[in-house]
Amino acid sequence: MKHPRRKRMLSGLAALCLCLCLFLFLFLAATSASAVDVHSDPGPPSAELAPVRALIKEKQFAKAVEALHILERTNQTADLYNLLGFSLRNLGEFERSAENYRRALSLDPDHRSALEYQGELFLQLGDVARAQENLRRLVALCPQGCEEREDLELALRAAEAKAP
């Protein structure tokens, strides 16, 4: 028998690689298949953002911000800045949130999620007129309706019901 240790080592490495591949497959399937409350506009989802969406779903906004800042080095997309704005808004960092929604919309002026979430930020800041403007843009983008439009409409109605 020549090299029995090498043969065992190679079969051990093959098993380890198989386990790692299986883990990675299951992780990606779980994070991309889970229903995330954070909308994404139609189009291919970014695999890089799937773990961040999972953090946001778990309301781990500070960790999501950290991860997004790391990804920002190579992925400067409207989706990334929208998620960054959403996470910062949920941390109460409204100015930084607004800046990231502006970045998202400068990259994609028709980004429905950014329009919805920016509108919700406007409502949190008491700026109903600007939230209504975002809703008008969503109505133009989704004449038959869409989730982002419906959510902002509900938020506007709730804000108007609270107003004196």
Side-chain angles (χ1 to χ4, degrees):
M1 262 199 323
K2 292 185 177 180
H3 308 291
R5 284 179 36 177
R6 180 184 287 172
K7 191 173 187 178
R8 273 186 282 163
M9 188 172 79
L10 287 175
S11 66
L13 283 174
L16 179 62
C17 286
L18 181 62
C19 287
L20 287 174
C21 288
L22 181 61
F23 173 78
L24 182 60
F25 172 78
L26 292 173
F27 174 76
L28 289 175
T31 57
S32 64
S34 65
V36 177
D37 292 340
V38 179
H39 313 304
S40 65
D41 283 358
S46 170
E48 285 184 311
L49 295 177
V52 175
R53 290 180 188 281
L55 288 171
I56 290 171
K57 182 180 179 188
E58 296 168 8
K59 299 187 184 314
Q60 295 185 31
F61 301 113
K63 287 183 180 179
V65 168
E66 284 179 35
L68 288 162
H69 282 305
I70 291 168
L71 290 173
E72 184 180 17
R73 297 176 190 151
T74 58
N75 182 355
Q76 297 179 352
T77 63
D79 281 341
L80 180 135
Y81 290 118
N82 178 52
L83 293 175
L84 192 51
F86 182 87
S87 298
L88 289 165
R89 179 167 59 96
N90 280 280
L91 290 170
E93 297 187 39
F94 299 139
E95 190 173 312
R96 289 179 60 205
S97 173
E99 176 185 323
N100 283 284
Y101 290 136
R102 281 192 298 273
R103 283 182 182 170
L105 292 168
S106 73
L107 292 169
D108 181 0
D110 296 335
H111 195 284
R112 295 190 323 243
S113 296
L115 287 167
E116 175 199 342
Y117 295 143
Q118 184 186 52
E120 291 172 358
L121 173 64
F122 291 150
L123 290 174
Q124 284 181 281
L125 298 174
D127 194 341
V128 175
R130 289 177 74 187
Q132 289 171 333
E133 176 56 34
N134 279 33
L135 179 58
R136 282 191 287 278
R137 289 176 65 190
L138 284 168
V139 168
L141 289 170
C142 309
Q144 304 300 322
C146 61
E147 185 177 359
E148 296 84 0
R149 173 184 166 178
E150 293 164 10
D151 288 350
L152 187 53
E153 286 171 339
L154 286 172
L156 268 162
R157 275 183 264 174
E160 290 167 352
K162 287 182 185 177

